[in-house]
Amino acid sequence: MKVGIYDPYLDDLGGGEKYITSIAECLSEDNNVTIFWDNEEDFKKLKHRFSLGLSKVKLSKNIFSKDVGFLKRLNESKKYDLLFVLSDGSIPFVASKLYVHIQQPLPFVRASVKAKLKIRRVAEFIYNSKFTKSYADKTFGVKGVVLYPPVEVKTKDVKKENIVLTVGKFRYKNIPLDDFKKQTVMIGAFKNMVEEGLRGWKLVIVTGCTKKDEPELDRIKKTAKGYPIEFLINQESNELWDIYSRSKIYWHAAGYGENLNEHPEYAEHFGISTVEAMGAGAVPIVINAGGQKEIVEKGSGFLWDTLEELKNRTEELVKDKILLERMSESAQRRAKFFSGERFCKELREIIK
């Protein structure tokens, strides 16, 4: 079978890109798979970043580029048995079987007649979480399927340390000292814990940062001075797994303080880093919002609504080593559910 894949943000190297190229990896085992993209260097960076098996995947001229006319795109799409497209809500018109992946919750917009015609031609809408599905289904007037991202665990045999870890790309919002992943909120909570007597623990913030956001990140780093708080910026994959493996507790706060009814996109759409941390034995204490609620089951971690709950649950684990060890083992078992093997099996069921 000939499969074509398109992600308009392929050079962003985010969670959506890992998801869509994982589809490519899975289907390339027994299909002819092509990714539509014009810059080969971007593709090389992507393979290096995600360490995926894409040796059988071909790169081809981007037929979805604005420079390619409608009729040419239509004719080129006929050469494929099916196409996968990562979408932000827009749907391309193609002449082959189309699967549309939605990575984040979409605000409700009444579909035009033209949009409804395109929607009818989609074989399936695929979502990364029930959270995303709950919004996007309304927008498209359909009932799509949830296919959780594949999360592979690559733990290292290192000794656990008294580390509270949080992982997330730094993206600055136009409000002083605010950011989408709420690193500032977690810094504040940890500083409070230290001031209230926490000793022998440190907060490690692993983040990716672009040149544009560096001044704001530097500003935030200054607020952590004098406290046991470390920043690891733009880590390679093997370095990230080292810190996952050494950490005992994992924090996540994306969506805290936001009006998620109006802006559901501010919550974590799924939470790959949470699953990775759990797979490495770090107990998650994460916000009770977005896709996090679908990851953390009773006994495998804690969900919180207030910062007091975040601090209290952390204190509970810090003081009770037996509870920490038991929940660590449960977190590892839960993380195994999200394996790549499960992803491929469910994907093949969807397209058969």
Side-chain angles (χ1 to χ4, degrees), residues 86-102:
L86 185 147
S87 171
D88 57 3
S90 60
I91 300 170
F93 193 85
V94 296
S96 60
K97 197 172 184 180
L98 177 64
Y99 292 84
V100 175
H101 171 57
I102 305 294

Side-chain angles (χ1 to χ4, degrees), residues 104-151:
Q104 64 179 27
L106 301 172
F108 176 75
V109 178
R110 194 171 297 280
S112 64
V113 174
K114 184 180 178 181
K116 287 179 181 178
L117 289 173
K118 289 182 178 180
I119 290 169
R120 286 175 188 168
R121 294 183 62 84
V122 176
E124 192 70 89
F125 285 89
I126 302 173
Y127 309 120
N128 61 342
S129 66
K130 293 176 184 176
F131 173 66
T132 296
K133 172 180 164 66
S134 67
Y135 289 89
D137 270 0
K138 294 175 186 175
T139 296
F140 295 117
V142 299
K143 290 186 177 180
V145 298
V146 173
L147 176 60
Y148 288 122
V151 185

Side-chain angles (χ1 to χ4, degrees), residues 7-260:
D7 175 354
Y9 314 105
L10 200 70
D11 55 346
D12 190 51
L13 303 182
E17 288 61 62
K18 186 172 185 180
Y19 189 106
I20 205 77
T21 48
S22 293
I23 290 176
E25 178 187 41
C26 177
L27 296 183
S28 67
E29 292 175 10
D30 52 5
N31 297 283
N32 186 345
V33 178
T34 298
I35 290 178
F36 302 112
W37 197 255
D38 293 325
N39 190 327
E40 193 171 348
E41 284 302 311
D42 290 337
F43 189 53
K44 287 179 181 177
K45 289 177 184 176
L46 183 144
K47 287 192 287 186
H48 177 71
R49 172 71 176 272
F50 297 135
S51 301
L52 295 172
L54 300 174
S55 59
K56 296 180 181 178
V57 177
K58 300 173 185 174
L59 202 63
S60 181
K61 181 176 174 59
N62 185 7
I63 65 172
F64 294 94
S65 167
K66 61 182 180 181
D67 299 325
V68 176
F70 172 75
L71 290 178
K72 183 170 177 59
R73 177 185 305 137
L74 207 60
N75 287 329
E76 288 296 315
S77 69
K78 288 179 183 177
K79 299 176 182 177
Y80 295 85
D81 297 295
L82 57 89
L83 295 174
F84 280 88
V85 174
L86 185 147
S87 171
D88 57 3
S90 60
I91 300 170
F93 193 85
V94 296
S96 60
K97 197 172 184 180
L98 177 64
Y99 292 84
V100 175
H101 171 57
I102 305 294
Q103 186 74 10
Q104 64 179 27
L106 301 172
F108 176 75
V109 178
R110 194 171 297 280
S112 64
V113 174
K114 184 180 178 181
K116 287 179 181 178
L117 289 173
K118 289 182 178 180
I119 290 169
R120 286 175 188 168
R121 294 183 62 84
V122 176
E124 192 70 89
F125 285 89
I126 302 173
Y127 309 120
N128 61 342
S129 66
K130 293 176 184 176
F131 173 66
T132 296
K133 172 180 164 66
S134 67
Y135 289 89
D137 270 0
K138 294 175 186 175
T139 296
F140 295 117
V142 299
K143 290 186 177 180
V145 298
V146 173
L147 176 60
Y148 288 122
V151 185
E152 297 302 338
V153 176
K154 303 174 184 177
T155 55
K156 293 190 174 183
D157 187 18
V158 294
K159 187 179 178 180
K160 286 286 186 185
E161 300 174 25
N162 291 343
I163 294 173
V164 176
L165 175 68
T166 184
V167 177
K169 188 174 182 179
F170 180 78
R171 289 174 58 215
Y172 177 65
K173 290 175 67 177
N174 293 323
I175 303 171
L177 294 181
D178 195 12
D179 58 276
F180 284 94
K181 297 294 185 181
K182 303 298 177 181
Q183 283 104 331
T184 48
V185 168
M186 291 181 283
I187 288 170
F190 192 79
K191 285 167 65 175
N192 286 345
M193 292 188 71
V194 172
E195 289 161 1
E196 291 166 3
L198 179 67
R199 296 292 181 269
W201 284 74
K202 65 180 176 180
L203 173 66
V204 176
I205 299 172
V206 177
T207 185
C209 184
T210 62
K211 288 283 185 184
K212 175 175 67 73
D213 286 329
E214 277 182 1
E216 293 303 328
L217 181 57
D218 288 340
R219 193 166 137 197
I220 286 171
K221 286 166 69 177
K222 289 177 182 176
T223 68
K225 268 196 168 183
Y227 292 84
I229 300 175
E230 295 179 12
F231 289 80
L232 301 177
I233 302 169
N234 297 328
Q235 298 288 289
E236 293 291 334
S237 178
N238 65 322
E239 295 171 317
L240 178 58
W241 281 109
D242 179 72
I243 190 65
Y244 272 140
S245 300
R246 288 191 286 117
S247 301
K248 291 183 178 178
I249 294 172
Y250 183 77
W251 280 6
H252 206 87
Y256 176 78
E258 302 285 359
N259 185 336
L260 297 179

